[in-house]
Amino acid sequence: MTSPTVKLNSGHQMPLVGFGLWKVNNDTCADTVYNAIKTGYRLFDGACDYGNEAEAGQGVARAIKEKLVSRDELFIVSKLWNSFHDHDRVEPICKKQLDDWGINYFDLYIVHFPISLKYVDPSERYPPGFTFDGKKVVPGKATIQETWTAMESLVDKGLTKSIGISNFNGQLIMDLLRYARIVPATLQIEHHPYLTQEGLVKLAQANNMAVTAYSSFGPQSFLELEMQRAKDTPLLFDSKIVKGIADKHGKSPAQVLLRWATQRNIAVIPKSNNQSRLLQNLDVTSFDLNKSELEEISGLNQHLRFNDPLNYGFNLPIYV
């Protein structure tokens, strides 16, 4: 079983269902990626900030060596971290990340946050996180335009086939579109029934950008981070609406939440270490929800955001 694809504005095909590498432990990451490839996953969503790209690359290399898959059958995604937004820092860090993965191009390389932070040399600390010295957040001076121009050069040089953005709001997107030589192929955002962001999704899709949802299960992703907001929020898996729809279709609540996204042409990147759930998460395009079911799930919206730097104690109010 593999995922259907969506055609990006760059002309490349992106799987609608992928595997997210956020919070995948280093000691299990290689095996997790390898097993996900065996299960049928082809898109892997990584990032500098996840700190596990070398291990993910080991899993990819093993699968290719055993001829389970070829490189051109995979869709590997990575992200530019905030500390490397200066124009002359973008290409070197992209090349380092490619080396970590053990590949010579990304299928998609994304600006992780619309935040420029002071450069941290990878030899000193990697990944650097949000702070300059492990304690203090120090802003950088790069504009989004400076960073995006450098991102475009990565496409020109063949280091990535497509480029995208993540965690951008509508105003930033509208501004970027005024100067972009290469329009972002994708917009990756927190998207679940507690945070539907309908206007932002509509804006992106109207400008021919594919939308990818992360944290599709809402608070579930943030409980292990001990985030109080997540602890205080009822689990979507326990929602009477979600459970009722799942029972009606003979599917799990997770499958219903993922189908709520994919049926609206929004890509998803769930993760699991459980083999049966790996299969279930991949099987989220074989059934349809009716209009009233889609609307019921969307009606759970509370404009409730979890992945906000402020929720981690960093004074970077990008969503105010």
Side-chain angles (χ1 to χ4, degrees):
M1 181 190 301
T2 55
S3 167
T5 61
V6 57
K7 187 174 183 179
L8 302 180
N9 62 28
S10 58
H12 300 287
Q13 298 286 339
M14 181 181 79
L16 199 57
V17 182
F19 189 96
L21 294 168
W22 182 44
K23 297 192 279 87
V24 175
N25 293 336
N26 294 75
D27 58 347
T28 60
C29 187
D31 286 341
T32 297
V33 169
Y34 174 80
N35 290 328
I37 291 173
K38 283 186 71 174
T39 303
Y41 287 84
R42 295 295 178 261
L43 185 152
F44 291 89
D45 182 83
C48 156
D49 191 52
Y50 302 165
N52 56 13
E53 293 192 295
E55 292 81 2
Q58 292 165 14
V60 166
R62 179 184 169 194
I64 292 175
K65 182 179 180 181
E66 295 182 10
K67 300 189 186 307
L68 297 179
V69 70
S70 61
R71 170 65 186 93
D72 61 2
E73 292 176 302
L74 295 174
F75 194 99
I76 296 179
V77 183
S78 191
K79 303 180 189 75
L80 175 76
W81 186 244
N82 311 329
S83 309
F84 309 106
H85 276 213
D86 293 339
H87 190 282
D88 60 348
R89 304 294 187 187
V90 173
E91 183 178 330
I93 200 62
C94 178
K95 287 181 174 178
K96 174 189 166 22
Q97 291 175 258
L98 287 169
D99 287 343
D100 286 346
W101 275 94
I103 57 178
N104 56 19
Y105 69 90
F106 287 120
D107 293 277
L108 175 63
Y109 195 60
I110 295 172
V111 178
H112 204 152
F113 279 97
I115 299 171
S116 172
L117 296 178
K118 187 174 180 179
Y119 175 71
V120 176
D121 192 312
S123 66
E124 295 180 11
R125 192 174 74 252
Y126 189 85
F130 277 100
T131 63
F132 174 68
D133 54 2
K135 299 176 183 178
K136 187 177 178 182
V137 174
V138 180
K141 296 184 177 180
T143 63
I144 296 297
Q145 184 171 5
E146 176 183 340
T147 303
W148 191 251
T149 301
M151 292 286 287
E152 291 171 327
S153 73
L154 300 179
V155 179
D156 298 336
K157 295 177 181 180
L159 298 175
T160 184
K161 291 186 175 181
S162 303
I163 49 178
I165 53 179
S166 181
N167 301 306
F168 276 51
N169 63 24
Q171 189 276 331
L172 284 175
I173 292 171
M174 292 173 69
D175 184 65
L176 187 154
L177 290 173
R178 282 164 170 77
Y179 54 75
R181 176 170 58 87
I182 300 176
V183 174
T186 65
L187 168 68
Q188 189 174 125
I189 55 172
E190 181 179 345
H191 179 76
H192 46 73
Y194 288 150
L195 183 68
T196 58
Q197 302 205 76
E198 292 164 0
L200 188 58
V201 170
K202 184 177 180 181
L203 172 65
Q205 292 179 338
N207 284 282
N208 202 24
M209 290 180 233
V211 176
T212 297
Y214 67 76
S215 299
S216 294
F217 305 142
Q220 186 76 29
S221 301
F222 300 89
L223 289 174
E224 62 193 85
L225 301 179
E226 298 295 318
M227 184 180 290
Q228 192 60 46
R229 174 171 285 201
K231 292 179 179 179
D232 294 341
T233 305
L235 294 179
L236 283 165
F237 291 160
D238 295 335
S239 162
K240 288 183 180 179
I241 289 174
V242 174
K243 289 173 69 175
I245 294 171
D247 290 343
K248 178 181 173 182
H249 288 272
K251 300 293 182 181
S252 70
Q255 286 176 300
V256 166
L257 291 169
L258 295 172
R259 185 57 177 145
W260 170 77
T262 61
Q263 194 167 324
R264 293 176 297 120
N265 215 31
I266 295 174
V268 292
I269 44 174
K271 72 177 176 73
S272 178
N273 293 320
N274 179 284
Q275 184 61 32
S276 64
R277 284 197 292 271
L278 270 177
L279 283 165
Q280 287 179 1
N281 289 348
L282 197 55
D283 180 26
V284 291
T285 57
S286 64
F287 66 100
D288 288 333
L289 306 176
N290 63 42
K291 183 181 178 182
S292 64
E293 289 170 337
L294 291 170
E295 290 174 349
E296 274 190 287
I297 296 171
S298 296
L300 295 170
N301 186 36
Q302 299 178 23
H303 307 287
L304 186 57
R305 186 185 305 277
F306 299 99
N307 194 39
D308 185 333
L310 294 177
N311 291 340
Y312 303 114
F314 302 116
N315 187 27
L316 296 163
I318 60 173
Y319 297 115
V320 296

